[in-house]
Amino acid sequence: AAMSPEGAAPIMKEMEEPTLIKILAVMKEAETAPILEAMSKLGADEAKRVARITERLRFYLSEAKDAKKATP
């Protein structure tokens, strides 16, 4: 059974960023967006962390895409 974004947010709040980014990277954007939104509502510090995670996730995904292109 799927977990609601509001249920996942407090759990993901406790995760270290590298682990969280790897988990989010394998999820669909339609799944990650509501979770990140719910996390950002957990307070100002968490909103800043979500912004940082979003940037790092974007970079991580672009690096993975570039690596796939480079593979013969």
Side-chain angles (χ1 to χ4, degrees), residues 41-61:
K41 293 178 180 176
L42 296 176
D45 288 342
E46 198 61 16
K48 290 177 186 176
R49 182 173 182 242
V50 167
R52 189 171 56 245
I53 288 168
T54 301
E55 276 299 304
R56 291 182 63 194
L57 179 61
R58 185 182 60 79
F59 180 77
Y60 181 88
L61 291 174

Side-chain angles (χ1 to χ4, degrees), residues 14-57:
E14 300 302 319
M15 292 182 174
E16 292 184 17
E17 286 184 25
T19 303
L20 181 54
I21 289 166
K22 288 176 185 173
I23 291 170
L24 294 172
V26 298
M27 296 172 68
K28 295 177 183 157
E29 186 178 350
E31 297 168 330
T32 61
I35 293 170
L36 292 172
E37 180 181 0
M39 287 176 67
S40 71
K41 293 178 180 176
L42 296 176
D45 288 342
E46 198 61 16
K48 290 177 186 176
R49 182 173 182 242
V50 167
R52 189 171 56 245
I53 288 168
T54 301
E55 276 299 304
R56 291 182 63 194
L57 179 61

Side-chain angles (χ1 to χ4, degrees), residues 61-72:
L61 291 174
S62 70
E63 289 288 306
K65 186 185 289 186
D66 290 344
K68 282 185 180 179
K69 286 181 184 177
T71 306

